Amino acid sequence: MAAAAWPRAAAACASSPNSLLLSRSLPHAPSPASFMRRRLVLGVGTPAVAALAAGAPPAVLQDGVATLFVTAGAYALVRTFDVLTERRLVDKSLSRKIVHVLSGVLFMSSWPLFSNSTEARYFAAVVPFLNSMRLLTYGLRLYTDEALVKSVTREGKPEELLRGPLYYVLVLLFSVLVFWRESPIGIVSLSMMSGGDGFADIVGRRYGSVKLPFNQKKSWIGSISMFISGFLLSAIMLFYFSSLGYIHVSWEEAFGKLALVALAATAVECIPVTDVVDDNISVPLATMLCLHIFGLLLSSSEHH
């Protein structure tokens, strides 16, 4: 009888919330809550990530994922041309300008990946900020990266990273923080800097035998290429963002004024002051100024 009653007593005791047996067994069988807390502290496995993600606002989660994706894409782009340059599959000067063109265009194209929150632009700004830190690190020779230096500099010197390439990413950083995707000023300025100036160098180096009379470092064909490519890329990017509802474009008058802006940016790029002011500074600044003067009859539009 006593032996038969013992299992029932033990079961009853174990089922009681205040059971001494249950409280003593806690170290061996922790509750789900304490087990989860322990895994979160230790950061073990995916439950930690899943729990943090579940508690984060949807906009923050979207912006965080977009930041990681765009950062990885930016690094992969530069690294790809590092390897192509190392293996001599792509000429160094061509590699540098392809990266110049694609970096700005792809970065702008990624902006719709971010949420509509007011903090979204700061998440997007992380990408050029990290790139600027990378350029500072290698430009100051704190670390070395021969492939990076060869792919984005003219003469293969690390200190060159502190000029044109650094100015380029700082303009990206400035544009995303000040203008973002609701302003045509930032969109057109980056289009002129990345597409216009980039194609001017690519075409000019290959076909630019006839130089400008006032600047022997620039050619007629290069300047014409800048005007055409800057104008077309600006129009394409404006259409891209207007079709997504971020801006409204009055196309009846925008084309003419956009041509004037492209002409002014091209004229500034032709001026022989590269030793004083880098094209990556003068071209976007001239574009921003012209857009304020001429206006594009564009307005921001709330995106839904």
Side-chain angles (χ1 to χ4, degrees), residues 251-291:
W251 293 107
E252 297 81 6
E253 299 186 30
F255 280 121
K257 294 184 177 182
L258 188 59
L260 291 175
V261 172
L263 183 62
T266 301
V268 169
E269 196 266 348
C270 294
I271 299 174
V273 292
T274 306
D275 295 334
V276 180
V277 182
D278 191 272
D279 289 342
N280 290 334
I281 295 178
S282 61
V283 169
L285 284 182
T287 304
M288 294 173 192
L289 179 62
C290 290
L291 286 169

Side-chain angles (χ1 to χ4, degrees), residues 169-239:
V169 296
L170 289 180
V171 170
L172 294 181
L173 181 62
F174 177 81
S175 296
V176 75
L177 289 176
V178 176
F179 299 113
W180 194 212
R181 60 197 172 197
E182 287 85 11
S183 170
I185 297 177
I187 296 169
V188 176
S189 298
L190 294 185
S191 298
M192 290 293 177
M193 180 185 71
S194 57
D197 185 46
F199 279 108
D201 189 89
I202 292 173
V203 177
R205 284 180 182 274
R206 188 173 181 86
Y207 304 106
S209 57
V210 182
K211 304 297 182 181
L212 296 175
F214 53 88
N215 188 352
Q216 291 300 303
K217 293 182 178 180
K218 308 288 185 178
S219 65
W220 282 105
I221 189 66
S223 297
I224 294 172
S225 298
M226 175 169 179
F227 173 80
I228 294 174
S229 58
F231 174 83
L232 290 178
L233 182 59
S234 297
I236 290 171
M237 295 309 298
L238 287 175
F239 176 78

Side-chain angles (χ1 to χ4, degrees), residues 123-205:
F123 280 89
V126 169
V127 181
F129 174 76
L130 291 178
N131 279 326
S132 66
M133 292 299 100
R134 185 186 181 201
L135 292 172
L136 284 171
T137 299
Y138 295 122
L140 295 173
R141 298 178 184 266
L142 301 178
Y143 293 94
T144 58
D145 189 335
E146 294 288 337
L148 173 66
V149 173
K150 289 180 180 178
S151 65
V152 299
T153 61
R154 294 178 184 272
E155 301 176 8
K157 299 177 181 179
E159 53 268 25
E160 289 183 76
L161 296 174
L162 303 178
R163 296 195 288 271
L166 181 60
Y167 301 151
Y168 184 95
V169 296
L170 289 180
V171 170
L172 294 181
L173 181 62
F174 177 81
S175 296
V176 75
L177 289 176
V178 176
F179 299 113
W180 194 212
R181 60 197 172 197
E182 287 85 11
S183 170
I185 297 177
I187 296 169
V188 176
S189 298
L190 294 185
S191 298
M192 290 293 177
M193 180 185 71
S194 57
D197 185 46
F199 279 108
D201 189 89
I202 292 173
V203 177
R205 284 180 182 274

